[in-house]
């Protein structure tokens, strides 16, 4: 009996896997390479699957495929896929100005209302053109104030998990990737701080900011090589003044440090009033938060970039606050982002066990997915109308985005979203061979220090590349 029990358990395990979905384990030689590289079996979560609709054949090759794992920014695949399905690739966000016109057509004798639409990619040059259109209507004076309406996302103020209400996952709370979502988002809620070594000192200023935003720097010149220069700064906003101190290596060339702005409303208001004055407008000297009274007439609307472009900008460069804004935009009142993503994935036919998607960016320690579940979504999304837009948004290995310098020697064509947090490294998307057949790829590492183990992804991709070549 002592020999029968182990064989029975093996048979039972294989039967359960086979009845759920055809799947093969990673080859022992590959697992041995991973072990030699310092990765234990329980730290890898992996699924590669042929997309049958493309003509590819076979079953899954997987490892810990049904175990939930942190996936970091590959969560953006779900956010952008769901948005393309719900809104369509041609969708454009509409930002509005409202006002009551005065007796004289060139004047607005009261407030100008700016109604935020949550556009994830509203840029300073867009605001400049928007105001130019306002001036083109013949309006030269606005008594004011400028009233900013940021109530669009209020239905999710408590349910949506952001760094603001769930705790920052690192100590660099000033960094641009911590910028919170906002209906009034402008330039991704961030500004570049330029650090420039000159004659034994460090000059510091913003590369593009309203005149009312200032820098007070106590950064010291430090001898030594240009390594880890972003670490160790002490940064704090006091109103519109950024105070920064720390050391900066003199061996560095000019560097840009993206920092989050202190308040989306103050940032937008400062830019709006400054551009208004630059374009010859008068009045409009102050701003406040509020909502236009019922019956206030729409004055002008700005249509943002089409959603296909927005999704491309999110995934190519892994923009967190854009993804969060997009998730909020597709989340109706009374639902959470978890529910939205889960229902969408279920509508495709995906296994949504252990789906836990907090804010759509992957910038959350509580997010969990399985590699099998994500592979389901990617495979089932292939025949949909949004596939070409999602595919075009993914970094192409060796060509652009976050993969511009990686996997340059692959025979396969790889379109993969990267993900990286402390102790997390992930890569997921699509692979295509020369016959035009497709596979979905999900590879995730969770464990101490594994955020820097790009070589593990190299081992696995190069193995599969050889298998299909």
């Amino acid at each position: 009996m002592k020999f029968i029990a182990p064989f029975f358990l093996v048979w039972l395990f294989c039967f359960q896997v086979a009845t759920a979905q055809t799947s093969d384990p990673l080859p022992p030689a590959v697992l041995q390479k991973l072990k030699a590289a310092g990765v234990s079996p329980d730290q890898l979560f992996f699924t590669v699957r042929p997309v049958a609709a493309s003509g590819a054949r076979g079953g899954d090759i997987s490892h810990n495929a049904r175990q939930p794992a942190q996936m970091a920014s590959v969560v953006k695949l779900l956010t952008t896929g769901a948005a393309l399905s719900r809104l369509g690739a041609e969708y454009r966000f509409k930002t509005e100005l409202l006002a009551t016109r005065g007796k004289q057509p060139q004047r607005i004798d009261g407030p100008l209302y700016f109604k935020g639409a949550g556009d994830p990619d509203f840029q300073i040059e867009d605001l400049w053109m928007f105001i130019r259109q306002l001036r083109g209507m013949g309006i030269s004076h606005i008594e004011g104030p400028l009233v900013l309406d940021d109530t669009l996302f209020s239905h999710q103020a408590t349910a949506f998990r952001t760094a603001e209400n769930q705790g920052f996952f690192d100590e660099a709370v000033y960094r641009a990737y911590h910028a919170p979502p906002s209906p009034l988002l402008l330039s991704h809620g961030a500004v570049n701080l330029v650090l420039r070594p000159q004659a034994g000192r460090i000059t510091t200023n913003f590369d593009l900011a309203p005149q009312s935003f200032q820098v007070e720097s106590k950064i010291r010149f430090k001898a030594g090589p240009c390594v880890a220069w972003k670490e160790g700064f002490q940064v704090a906003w006091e109103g519109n003044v950024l105070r920064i101190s720390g050391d900066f290596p003199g061996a560095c060339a000019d560097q840009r440090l993206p920092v989050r702005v202190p308040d989306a409303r103050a940032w937008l208001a400062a830019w709006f009033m400054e551009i208004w004055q630059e374009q010859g407008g008068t009045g409009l000297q102050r701003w406040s938060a509020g909502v236009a009274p019922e019956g206030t007439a729409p004055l002008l609307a700005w249509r943002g970039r089409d959603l296909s472009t927005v999704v491309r900008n999110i995934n190519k460069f892994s923009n967190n606050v854009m993804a969060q804004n997009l998730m909020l935009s597709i989340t109706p009142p009374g639902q959470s982002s978890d529910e939205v993503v889960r229902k969408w994935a279920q509508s495709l036919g995906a296994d949504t066990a252990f789906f836990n998607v907090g804010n759509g960016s992957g910038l959350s320690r509580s997010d969990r997915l399985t590699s099998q579940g994500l592979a389901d979504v990617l495979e089932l999304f292939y025949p949909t109308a949004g596939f070409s837009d999602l595919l075009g948004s993914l970094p192409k290995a060796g060509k652009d985005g976050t993969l511009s310098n990686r996997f340059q020697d692959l025979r396969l064509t790889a379109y993969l979203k990267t993900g990286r947090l402390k102790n997390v490294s992930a890569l997921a998307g699509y692979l295509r061979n020369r016959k035009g057949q497709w596979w979905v790829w999900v590879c995730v590492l969770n464990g101490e220090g594994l955020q820097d183990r790009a070589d593990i992804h190299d081992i696995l991709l190069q193995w599969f590349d050889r298998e299909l070549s």
Side-chain angles (χ1 to χ4, degrees):
M1 289 296 294
K2 65 181 180 180
F3 293 105
I4 295 174
F7 281 108
F8 174 77
L9 293 174
V10 170
W11 173 85
L12 179 61
F13 172 78
C14 292
F15 175 79
Q16 289 173 331
V17 171
T19 54
Q21 183 170 355
T22 303
S23 180
D24 293 319
L26 281 167
V30 174
L31 291 174
Q32 188 61 38
K33 277 190 175 183
L34 296 178
K35 183 179 179 181
V39 175
S40 64
D42 64 336
Q43 294 177 318
L44 174 67
F45 308 84
F46 177 80
T47 300
V48 60
R49 176 184 300 169
V51 179
S54 73
R57 294 292 179 263
D60 288 8
I61 301 173
S62 63
H63 184 83
N64 291 334
R66 293 185 176 183
Q67 299 300 315
Q70 292 186 67
M71 298 237 171
S73 282
V74 300
V75 167
K76 294 181 177 73
L77 290 167
L78 301 178
T79 305
T80 51
L84 286 166
S85 296
R86 293 173 71 98
L87 303 177
E90 299 302 316
Y91 179 83
R92 295 174 184 266
F93 291 85
K94 185 175 77 170
T95 302
E96 292 184 284
L97 295 176
L98 302 91
T100 300
R101 300 287 291 269
K103 295 180 180 179
Q104 299 178 15
Q106 73 274 21
R107 294 178 59 92
I108 294 174
D109 291 325
L112 176 68
Y113 297 92
F114 187 108
K115 188 175 182 179
D119 187 339
D121 207 16
F122 190 55
Q123 300 296 328
I124 295 166
E125 57 267 29
D126 300 328
L127 181 62
W128 191 95
M129 286 298 300
F130 197 19
I131 295 171
R132 187 65 180 171
Q133 291 174 7
L134 184 63
R135 291 285 286 119
M137 296 173 66
I139 297 172
S140 59
H141 180 85
I142 302 172
E143 187 62 28
L146 174 66
V147 180
L148 302 177
D149 179 353
D150 65 348
T151 60
L152 180 65
F153 296 156
S154 58
H155 64 280
Q156 279 285 359
T158 56
F160 196 70
R161 296 200 295 268
T162 68
E164 298 289 348
N165 59 25
Q166 293 292 313
F168 296 96
F169 72 90
D170 64 21
E171 296 179 354
V173 298
Y174 59 88
R175 295 287 296 278
Y177 53 75
H178 279 308
S182 170
L184 302 171
L185 192 69
L186 177 66
S187 64
H188 306 152
V191 59
N192 281 323
L193 187 66
V194 181
L195 297 93
R196 180 175 292 118
Q198 288 183 332
R201 56 188 294 268
I202 308 297
T203 63
T204 312
N205 51 62
F206 295 128
D207 67 346
L208 189 63
Q211 293 182 10
S212 59
F213 277 69
Q214 301 293 322
V215 181
E216 290 186 4
S217 174
K218 294 183 179 179
I219 294 179
R220 298 177 295 268
F221 182 95
K222 180 182 72 172
C226 187
V227 294
W229 66 267
K230 294 180 181 179
E231 298 177 5
F233 290 128
Q234 290 78 50
V235 180
W237 286 95
E238 293 186 17
N240 291 353
V241 178
L242 179 74
R243 292 188 166 88
I244 182 169
S245 61
D247 296 326
F248 185 74
C252 289
D254 295 0
Q255 300 289 346
R256 281 173 166 75
L257 180 68
V259 298
R260 55 182 290 211
V261 299
D263 179 72
R265 295 173 299 181
W267 179 245
L268 175 62
W271 269 118
F272 195 107
M273 292 187 293
E274 184 168 305
I275 294 171
W276 174 252
Q277 299 291 334
E278 287 178 351
Q279 294 192 10
T282 59
L284 206 62
Q285 298 293 322
R286 55 194 177 90
W287 69 275
S288 64
V291 179
E294 188 174 349
T296 305
L299 186 66
L300 189 62
W302 175 265
R303 296 281 183 176
R305 294 162 183 79
D306 61 79
L307 185 60
S308 180
T309 301
V310 171
V311 165
R312 184 162 61 248
N313 289 338
I314 290 173
N315 285 333
K316 288 285 188 188
F317 305 103
S318 204
N319 191 292
N320 293 307
V321 71
M322 287 182 69
Q324 292 179 39
N325 255 45
L326 186 59
M327 178 59 83
L328 282 166
S329 298
I330 62 172
T331 302
Q335 291 190 29
S336 68
S337 53
D338 284 327
E339 291 176 283
V340 168
V341 169
R342 190 177 297 110
K343 287 179 179 179
W344 167 72
Q346 288 170 348
S347 73
L348 294 174
D351 176 7
T352 58
F354 304 110
F355 264 47
N356 184 13
V357 179
N359 59 38
S361 70
L363 201 67
S364 171
R365 288 294 180 189
S366 60
D367 284 5
R368 293 293 187 277
L369 295 171
T370 65
S371 66
Q372 177 176 295
L374 183 54
D376 283 353
V377 171
L378 293 172
E379 179 193 12
L380 294 165
F381 197 71
Y382 173 83
T384 71
F387 172 72
S388 61
D389 295 288
L390 181 65
L391 184 72
S393 76
L394 301 181
K396 187 176 181 180
K399 298 296 183 182
D400 62 19
T402 55
L403 291 181
S404 59
N405 296 315
R406 294 179 64 185
F407 309 120
Q408 295 178 338
D409 57 351
L410 288 180
R411 298 177 183 88
L412 293 167
T413 303
Y415 301 86
L416 299 167
K417 178 73 194 72
T418 57
R420 184 180 183 273
L421 288 176
K422 185 178 180 180
N423 302 330
V424 182
S425 177
L427 206 58
Y430 297 92
L431 308 174
R432 186 187 67 203
N433 67 10
R434 294 175 182 176
K435 297 178 181 179
Q437 298 167 331
W438 291 87
W439 280 259
V440 297
W441 179 272
V442 182
C443 181
V444 183
L445 302 170
N446 282 189
E448 186 70 30
L450 291 181
Q451 74 274 7
D452 296 321
R453 297 302 304 273
D455 59 304
I456 304 303
H457 296 287
D458 293 347
I459 290 171
L460 287 161
L461 258 180
Q462 287 168 2
W463 154 72
F464 195 67
D465 189 52
R466 289 192 299 270
E467 287 291 307
L468 292 186
S469 300

